[in-house]
């Protein structure tokens, strides 16, 4: 009986190895087919460059173009209204009235818990003039706590 059990164990191990090898080869062929399909799909799509500033044939701006304002700050002013607070900071057009990384001026970064409101870094949780959101004033005598006027 001992020899019969050993032969049976070897037979079961051989069957298990054959099943594993066939499963791995099937998944490899599926992966290869998927990769070929993905390559075909990628090749079919036209690539549009975001760095093209002008369409030479029509003479207008490419909507996918990046706005590089370091050479021409008028690009930023044209994006806003006449009283716009747009400025060129680190070669990007930003609204210095509400940008936390350029609040009021380029590279003037608000602290972690502060928000830029009208070019000023404020704590929305405790500022009576900007309680909970920009320009939300609390009534006279009320205090701003946790962004709510007269909390508790």
């Amino acid at each position: 009986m001992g020899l019969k059990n050993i032969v049976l164990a070897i037979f079961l191990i051989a069957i298990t190895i054959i099943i594993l090898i066939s499963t791995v080869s099937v998944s490899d062929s599926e992966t290869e087919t998927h990769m070929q399909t993905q390559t075909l799909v990628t090749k079919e799509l036209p690539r549009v460059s975001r760095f093209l500033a002008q369409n030479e044939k029509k003479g207008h701006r490419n909507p996918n173009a990046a706005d590089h304002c370091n050479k021409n700050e008028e690009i930023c002013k044209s994006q806003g209204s006449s009283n716009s607070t747009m400025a060129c900071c680190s070669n990007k057009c930003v609204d210095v009235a509400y940008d936390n990384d350029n609040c009021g001026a380029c590279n003037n970064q608000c602290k972690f818990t502060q928000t830029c409101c009208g070019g000023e870094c404020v704590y929305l949780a405790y500022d009576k003039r900007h309680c909970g959101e920009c320009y939300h004033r609390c009534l006279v005598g009320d205090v701003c706590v946790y962004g709510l006027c007269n909390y508790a």
Side-chain angles (χ1 to χ4, degrees):
M1 278 220 163
L3 183 61
K4 200 177 205 183
N5 286 340
I6 293 173
V7 171
L8 182 62
I10 291 173
F11 178 73
L12 290 174
I13 290 172
I15 295 292
T16 305
I17 290 173
I18 290 171
I19 292 172
L20 287 174
I21 289 173
S22 65
T23 305
V24 169
S25 66
V26 168
S27 67
D28 284 344
S29 65
E30 287 176 358
T31 303
E32 185 177 322
T33 304
H34 177 68
M35 288 175 62
Q36 288 173 348
T37 305
Q38 188 175 10
T39 304
L40 288 174
V41 170
T42 306
K43 288 181 181 178
E44 291 175 9
L45 298 175
R47 188 166 184 170
V48 179
S49 174
R50 67 184 184 94
F51 296 106
L52 295 174
Q54 298 289 327
N55 183 343
E56 297 296 329
K57 293 179 184 175
K58 296 180 183 176
H60 62 80
R61 282 190 45 77
N62 180 347
N64 297 325
D67 287 330
H68 298 290
C69 59
N70 64 341
K71 294 180 181 173
N72 184 6
E73 290 195 27
E74 293 299 316
I75 291 174
C76 298
K77 293 185 186 351
S78 68
Q79 290 182 354
S81 60
S82 60
N83 60 352
S84 176
T85 54
M86 298 295 286
C88 181
C89 299
S90 301
N91 201 21
K92 288 172 132 180
C93 293
V94 294
D95 187 354
V96 293
Y98 297 99
D99 186 57
N100 283 340
D101 293 328
N102 302 289
C103 188
C106 292
N107 299 321
N108 184 28
Q109 190 172 20
C110 293
K111 293 180 182 174
F112 177 68
T113 56
Q114 290 181 324
T115 302
C116 185
C117 291
E120 179 183 7
C121 293
V122 297
Y123 292 100
L124 295 180
Y126 301 103
D127 192 317
K128 289 197 269 186
R129 300 169 300 140
H130 307 279
C131 190
E133 61 184 298
C134 292
Y135 303 109
H136 180 257
R137 289 183 178 267
C138 291
L139 297 174
V140 176
D142 287 353
V143 293
C144 180
V145 180
Y146 302 121
L148 300 170
C149 293
N150 223 14
Y151 179 75

